[in-house]
Amino acid sequence: QKEVEQDPGPLSVPEGAIVSLNCTYSNSAFQYFMWYRQYSRKGPELLMYTYSSGNKEDGRFTAQVDKSSKYISLFIRDSQPSDSATYLCAMSVNQAGTALIFGKGTTLSVSS
Amino acid sequence: DSGVTQTPKHLITATGQRVTLRCSPRSGDLSVYWYQQSLDQGLQFLIQYYNGEERAKGNILERFSAQQFPDLHSELNLSSLELGDSALYFCASSVSGFGARETQYFGPGTRLLVL
């Protein structure tokens, strides 16, 4: 079993839809949870960052962490064609200099 | 634009060869990370340097090595290349590399194709 599992999709939605992206993980030591967005032929860019459990909202994006279920989610409201990209979840333990463990990414396509 | 630069953008080489990938971190960032992204494995951490010293090692093969120079740029050396080494190689940088709270900024990547 991989440490971080993410459904690769692809996920296709119409413009304006609410999108739900999810990851599950097996390492209960993970404390830091991130979502990165990667456009085609570009490097990943940080979208959202959450420490431990709870919700975090930033504009149209909401990140949720449920540590009891080892499950994290990213919600995108009022999705736009510009949201079409691959979304990668990433996690890290509470340790200095620890590298990120990434999911394989979910490819999202938002049609106008 | 993240401020992290990587050269070259594309590299085509043959099996058994050796290549060097270069990364310049964002101005002020002391820590550099190398990642490999392939279709079957996803984005995997290879190695991290902080101010010239190796800080953390991930799934880096013995055929691969890296270093960070006094001007903080980093190079990833890949030798005895195999077909399976074909992938996107990303460099990321962060201010100090202490703790996952820091944002890692990714470069545009180097696409390596081994024929």
Side-chain angles (χ1 to χ4, degrees):
Chain A
Q1 182 193 10
K2 287 192 76 83
E3 274 192 295
V4 180
E5 301 275 4
Q6 186 176 7
D7 186 339
L11 185 59
S12 295
V13 301
E15 184 176 354
I18 296 174
V19 175
S20 171
L21 304 166
N22 311 294
C23 286
T24 58
Y25 62 93
S26 57
N27 188 350
S28 57
F30 286 138
Q31 296 277 0
Y32 299 91
F33 303 91
M34 286 138 278
W35 286 95
Y36 279 79
R37 177 174 62 194
Q38 185 176 18
Y39 289 114
S40 181
R41 300 188 176 276
K42 300 279 189 187
E45 57 176 332
L46 182 66
L47 256 186
M48 299 282 289
Y49 161 86
T50 311
Y51 169 67
S52 195
S53 281
N55 294 357
K56 188 171 184 179
E57 192 172 316
D58 184 2
R60 297 184 294 111
F61 298 89
T62 300
Q64 283 184 356
V65 174
D66 181 348
K67 290 193 72 182
S68 61
S69 303
K70 297 195 183 74
Y71 188 88
I72 70 169
S73 301
L74 177 71
F75 297 96
I76 307 174
R77 289 183 299 280
D78 187 25
S79 55
Q80 303 294 309
S82 58
D83 295 327
S84 298
T86 296
Y87 290 81
L88 301 133
C89 62
M91 310 181 187
S92 184
V93 299
N94 185 17
Q95 202 172 68
T98 304
L100 301 176
I101 309 297
F102 282 85
K104 284 192 180 179
T106 300
T107 300
L108 171 67
S109 176
V110 182
S111 55
S112 55
Chain B
D1 183 0
S2 66
V4 178
T5 59
Q6 287 186 248
T7 56
K9 283 197 170 100
H10 304 278
L11 203 45
I12 301 174
T13 187
T15 53
Q17 295 298 305
R18 173 190 168 95
V19 297
T20 298
L21 312 183
R22 184 189 166 104
C23 167
S24 292
R26 291 187 327 150
S27 176
D29 284 359
L30 297 177
S31 199
V32 167
Y33 309 75
W34 285 98
Y35 290 87
Q36 180 194 57
Q37 187 174 40
S38 61
L39 278 174
D40 54 339
Q41 295 294 325
L43 196 58
Q44 289 205 304
F45 167 69
L46 295 178
I47 197 163
Q48 179 199 3
Y49 280 82
Y50 168 72
N51 205 21
E53 300 287 327
E54 183 183 304
R55 179 159 202 85
K57 226 170 184 174
N59 300 321
I60 187 165
L61 300 171
E62 283 192 16
R63 299 183 285 110
F64 296 0
S65 64
Q67 59 185 130
Q68 186 179 27
F69 295 86
D71 68 352
L72 301 176
H73 91 271
S74 178
E75 292 182 356
L76 178 67
N77 299 296
L78 314 176
S79 60
S80 302
L81 284 168
E82 301 175 359
L83 296 177
D85 297 327
S86 296
L88 262 172
Y89 290 84
F90 286 105
C91 167
S93 73
S94 68
V95 174
S96 73
F98 285 88
R101 282 183 179 271
E102 278 199 346
T103 297
Q104 292 184 27
Y105 295 88
F106 282 75
T110 292
R111 189 174 293 272
L112 173 67
L113 181 59
V114 182
L115 300 174

